[in-house]
C-alpha cells in the first residue's frame, strides 16, 4: 500500500493524530513562551542568575528526549502516562532557546540606547515595552522559531508514553517494519515543522528590515 | 543679574564612593547658575561624567547633597526629574526602531501630549536644529550622518522644553568641521532659548568656545572654577597643562582617541 492510499483509508485517524500533534506543540510552546520570555527578561535585570538558569535549561536540552519522557513518568502530579507528561517534557525542551534568545536579544541592545532612555525619564517598564522588547523582538522570535521546530520533532516521541500525535504511526511502523506507516507519521511531522519555520521566519523578517540595529542584534 | 537668581543646580560637599570606598568624585561644592553654560573640563576618568549623572539622578551621592531647582535629588522622583532635564550623550543613543520624529517626541509621548501638538513640536525642533522636517521626520537613524544624528539628539533633549540640559561630550565623535558648526549653533540656541547647560568635554578648545564658566576636574576633584579668561591665567598646574594644549596646534594633554571610538 502506498502512502497516499494509506492516508486516504485512515483519514480519520490521521486527522486525529495530526491535531493531537499540533495540540502538544501548541500548548507546550505557549507555556514555554509564558515562562521563558518573562524569565529571560528577569535575567537581564539580575544578570548574576543567568549562568545557573541558562545552565539548567541547557541540561534539559541535553537529555535524550526518550529518556526525558521516561524520567517524567514516575514523578507525581506532572508525571504518568499521557499528554500531560509529554507537554511537561516539551516545555522543558522549548525553554532554553526562548530564555536564551530573550536574554541575549535584550543584552545585545546598544547600552547607549538604554542610557538615553533612562536619562529621558523612562521608567523601567516603559524602557522594556517601548525600547527593549521591540528591539529584541527579532531575536526573541528566532528563539520561538527554534523552539517550535524542535517541539514538532520531539513531539513524535510523545507517542511512546501514550500521548498520541503523529509518532503513533512512526512507532507502529517501526514495530511492524512498515515504511509506509513510518512515512505517514514522519512526513506530515516534517511538513508541520517546515510550515512553522516558514511562517515564523516571515514574521521575523517583517520586524527586521531597515530598522538599524536590529540587524546587528540578530547576529548575537 | 544672574547671580541674584536662585541656582538651578547646587552641589554641597558631594562625594560618590564605590563599594570599596574609593571616591570617584569628592568635595564637590558649586552652583550652576541660570542661563549659563558651565563646561566641565578634564581628562578621561577625572569625574566629569559622574558629576553630570549626579544631576539627573542616574547616580546618587554617597555624601553631601545635590539640589535641582531647590530640591534634593534624593527627594525628586527620578523619572519626573529626568523629564525636566534634557540629556545628550556622545553615543547619542537614538532609538533605532523609531523614526526621527518619534525619537524627538519621546519625552512628549511619555508625558502624554496629543498627536497634533507633538507633530507641531517636532517640526519646530527639527527646524531649530537645522534639519528640514519634510525630508527628515520620517527617516530612521541609520539613514543619517553622525552630525545629523546628534542634531536629532539635541532636538530630542529640547523636546519638552526643559530649563536645563546636560551634554556629555556630545560632539566627541564628529569630524572637526561638523563639530565646530554644532558648537556655534548650540551656543546660539542656548542663548536664544535661555537654557542652562552643563557641558562635559575633554577638549579645552570646545570648553573655551562654549563656556560661560569652566570647571576643571582632576582625579575626582574640581580644581578650578571660573570664567574662560580667568582659566587662561590660572596658576593651577592642570589648568596650565590644558592652556598649554590650547596654544599648541590641535593637541590636547590627553588625546582620548580611545574614548572617541
Amino acid at each position: 500500500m502506498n502512502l497516499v492510499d494509506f492516508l486516504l483509508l485512515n483519514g480519520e485517524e490521521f486527522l486525529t493524530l495530526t491535531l493531537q500533534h499540533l495540540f502538544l506543540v501548541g500548548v507546550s510552546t505557549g507555556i514555554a513562551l509564558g515562562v521563558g520570555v518573562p524569565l529571560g527578561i528577569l535575567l537581564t535585570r539580575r544578570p548574576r542568575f543567568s549562568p545557573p538558569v541558562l545552565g539548567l535549561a541547557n541540561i534539559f536540552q541535553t537529555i535524550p528526549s526518550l529518556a526525558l519522557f521516561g524520567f517524567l513518568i514516575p514523578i507525581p502530579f506532572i508525571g504518568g502516562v499521557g499528554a500531560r507528561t509529554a507537554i511537561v517534557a516539551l516545555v522543558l525542551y522549548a525553554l532554553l532557546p526562548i530564555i536564551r534568545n530573550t536574554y541575549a536579544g535584550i543584552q545585545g541592545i546598544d547600552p547607549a540606547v538604554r542610557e538615553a532612555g533612562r536619562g529621558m525619564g523612562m521608567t523601567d517598564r516603559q524602557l522594556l515595552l517601548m525600547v527593549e522588547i521591540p528591539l529584541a523582538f527579532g531575536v526573541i522570535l528566532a528563539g520561538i522559531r527554534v523552539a517550535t521546530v524542535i517541539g514538532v520533532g520531539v513531539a513524535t516521541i510523545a507517542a511512546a508514553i501514550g500521548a498520541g500525535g503523529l509518532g503513533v504511526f512512526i512507532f507502529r511502523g517501526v514495530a511492524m517494519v512498515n515504511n509506509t506507516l513510518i512515512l505517514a507519521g514522519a512526513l506530515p511531522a516534517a511538513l508541520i515543522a517546515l510550515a512553522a519555520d516558514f511562517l515564523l521566519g516571515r514574521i521575523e523578517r517583517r520586524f527586521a528590515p531597515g530598522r538599524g540595529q536590529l540587524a546587528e542584534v540578530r547576529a548575537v | 543679574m544672574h547671580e541674584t537668581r536662585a541656582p538651578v543646580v547646587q552641589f554641597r560637599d558631594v562625594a560618590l564612593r564605590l563599594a570599596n570606598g574609593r571616591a570617584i568624585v569628592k568635595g564637590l561644592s558649586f552652583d550652576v547658575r541660570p542661563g549659563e553654560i558651565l563646561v566641565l573640563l578634564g581628562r578621561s576618568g577625572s569625574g566629569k561624567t559622574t558629576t553630570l549623572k549626579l544631576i539627573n539622578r542616574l547616580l546618587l551621592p554617597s555624601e553631601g547633597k545635590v539640589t535641582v531647582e531647590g530640591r534634593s535629588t534624593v527627594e525628586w522622583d527620578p523619572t519626573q526629574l529626568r523629564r525636566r532635564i534634557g540629556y545628550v550623550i556622545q553615543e547619542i543613543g537614538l532609538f533605532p526602531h523609531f523614526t526621527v520624529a518619534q525619537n524627538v517626541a519621546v519625552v512628549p509621548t511619555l508625558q502624554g501630549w496629543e498627536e497634533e501638538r507633538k507633530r507641531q513640536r517636532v517640526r519646530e525642533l527639527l527646524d531649530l536644529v537645522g534639519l528640514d522636517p519634510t525630508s527628515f521626520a520620517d527617516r530612521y537613524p541609520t539613514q543619517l550622518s553622525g552630525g545629523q544624528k546628534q542634531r536629532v539628539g539635541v532636538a530630542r533633549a529640547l523636546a519638552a522644553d526643559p530649563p536645563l540640559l546636560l551634554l556629555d561630550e556630545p560632539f566627541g565623535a564628529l569630524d572637526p568641521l561638523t563639530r565646530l558648526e554644532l558648537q556655534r549653533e548650540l551656543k546660539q540656541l542656548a542663548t536664544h532659548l535661555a537654557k542652562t547647560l552643563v557641558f562635559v568635554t575633554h577638549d579645552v578648545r570646545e570648553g573655551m568656545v562654549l563656556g560661560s564658566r569652566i570647571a576643571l576636574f582632576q582625579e575626582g576633584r574640581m580644581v578650578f572654577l571660573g570664567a574662560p579668561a580667568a582659566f587662561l591665567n590660572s596658576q593651577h598646574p592642570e589648568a596650565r597643562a590644558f592652556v598649554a594644549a590650547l596654544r599648541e596646534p590641535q593637541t590636547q594633554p590627553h588625546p582620548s582617541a580611545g574614548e572617541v571610538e
Side-chain angles (χ1 to χ4, degrees):
Chain A
M1 198 190 307
N2 69 32
L3 185 60
V4 177
D5 291 338
F6 174 84
L7 290 179
L8 286 176
L9 273 173
N10 299 277
E12 205 172 321
E13 190 182 12
F14 171 67
L15 195 67
T16 311
L17 293 180
T18 304
L19 289 178
Q20 273 175 353
H21 206 92
L22 291 173
F23 174 78
L24 288 175
V25 176
V27 171
S28 59
T29 308
I31 295 173
L33 256 177
V35 176
V37 172
L39 200 58
I41 292 169
L42 209 66
L43 291 185
T44 63
R45 301 304 190 258
R46 303 267 182 281
R48 68 202 164 92
F49 291 121
S50 74
V53 172
L54 290 177
L56 191 70
N58 228 329
I59 289 172
F60 288 131
Q61 197 99 78
T62 60
I63 303 175
S65 43
L66 193 54
L68 185 59
F69 284 116
F71 283 140
L72 288 173
I73 290 177
I75 297 176
F77 302 115
I78 58 167
V81 166
R84 194 178 42 192
T85 314
I87 287 171
V88 173
L90 288 171
V91 168
L92 292 179
Y93 273 107
L95 275 178
L96 177 70
I98 293 176
I99 299 174
R100 191 187 46 204
N101 278 41
T102 305
Y103 178 72
I106 293 179
Q107 288 292 94
I109 294 169
D110 182 358
V113 169
R114 202 173 286 129
E115 196 195 324
R118 288 218 301 143
M120 282 187 298
M122 286 187 178
T123 60
D124 197 49
R125 196 187 153 79
Q126 286 165 335
L127 194 64
L128 188 69
L129 295 178
M130 292 174 70
V131 179
E132 292 178 311
I133 290 181
L135 283 178
F137 198 74
V139 185
I140 297 174
L141 213 59
I144 296 171
R145 189 174 160 197
V146 170
T148 309
V149 172
I150 291 176
V152 173
V154 175
T156 55
I157 300 180
I161 57 165
L166 290 163
V168 170
F169 280 156
I170 300 178
F171 278 101
R172 203 184 291 162
V174 170
M176 295 166 64
V177 200
N178 180 338
N179 279 344
T180 307
L181 211 47
I182 296 177
L183 275 179
L187 208 60
L191 289 176
I192 292 174
L194 283 173
D197 191 51
F198 175 74
L199 284 175
L200 289 170
R202 280 196 65 158
I203 300 175
E204 203 182 312
R205 264 187 299 280
R206 278 194 59 177
F207 287 90
R211 301 291 188 83
Q213 242 127 357
L214 269 186
E216 291 161 36
V217 173
R218 276 154 54 88
V220 166
Chain B
M1 165 190 136
H2 283 158
E3 271 67 29
T4 57
R5 285 161 59 192
V8 183
V9 180
Q10 276 185 306
F11 277 64
R12 288 295 173 266
D13 304 311
V14 171
L16 183 81
R17 291 179 195 282
L18 298 175
N20 63 19
R22 197 175 77 80
I24 305 179
V25 295
K26 52 183 177 272
L28 290 181
S29 290
F30 66 96
D31 292 351
V32 181
R33 301 169 186 162
E36 78 169 334
I37 301 181
L38 178 65
V39 167
L40 310 184
L41 180 69
R43 304 175 192 232
S44 307
S46 59
K48 341 178 267 294
T49 295
T50 304
T51 305
L52 204 67
K53 289 183 176 173
L54 282 163
I55 300 176
N56 65 358
R57 219 198 131 149
L58 285 173
L59 296 170
L60 281 171
S62 356
E63 289 162 28
K65 196 160 129 179
V66 181
T67 335
V68 178
E69 294 176 6
R71 247 162 93 193
S72 162
T73 50
V74 185
E75 293 158 21
W76 270 100
D77 171 54
T79 58
Q80 289 307 319
L81 176 68
R82 289 174 198 150
R83 286 175 200 176
R84 293 187 53 80
I85 300 178
Y87 188 47
V88 185
I89 55 179
Q90 180 180 333
E91 304 83 4
I92 310 171
L94 294 182
F95 301 124
H97 58 309
F98 284 1
T99 61
V100 166
Q102 287 169 324
N103 265 291
V104 173
V106 166
V107 178
T109 304
L110 294 176
Q111 292 181 333
W113 288 22
E114 278 169 26
E115 285 305 316
E116 188 47 44
R117 189 172 164 217
K118 275 199 281 188
R119 228 188 328 269
Q120 212 154 14
R121 183 69 181 147
V122 168
R123 294 186 68 84
E124 206 177 289
L125 284 163
L126 289 179
D127 268 333
L128 200 64
V129 298
L131 296 174
D132 175 21
T134 41
S135 78
F136 282 96
D138 296 326
R139 291 200 203 174
Y140 283 93
T142 42
Q143 299 164 299
L144 304 177
S145 71
Q148 289 166 344
K149 279 184 198 163
Q150 198 52 285
R151 285 170 194 271
V152 176
V154 171
R156 183 173 69 171
L158 287 168
D161 205 17
L164 173 65
L165 259 72
L166 309 179
L167 304 101
D168 192 353
E169 304 202 22
F171 310 141
L174 303 178
D175 66 83
L177 285 180
T178 309
R179 189 173 186 167
L180 203 64
E181 206 174 282
L182 279 173
Q183 285 167 356
R184 281 205 199 105
E185 289 178 29
L186 180 72
K187 188 161 187 175
Q188 280 173 2
L189 213 64
T191 321
H192 173 64
L193 301 173
K195 299 290 180 197
T196 308
L197 266 57
V198 182
F199 191 105
V200 164
T201 184
H202 58 258
D203 177 355
V204 61
R205 284 169 203 279
E206 187 166 69
M208 296 297 287
V209 171
L210 286 173
S212 335
R213 290 193 300 162
I214 291 178
L216 182 64
F217 280 74
Q218 187 183 23
E219 290 166 13
R221 291 182 176 278
M222 191 185 282
V223 295
F224 172 89
L225 175 62
F231 180 74
L232 289 177
N233 298 318
S234 168
Q235 294 307 303
H236 191 281
E238 183 74 352
R240 292 181 62 162
F242 269 101
V243 171
L246 193 61
R247 303 227 157 90
E248 251 166 67
Q250 298 298 334
T251 54
Q252 292 165 32
H254 248 203
S256 39
E259 221 176 51
V260 173
E261 288 312 306

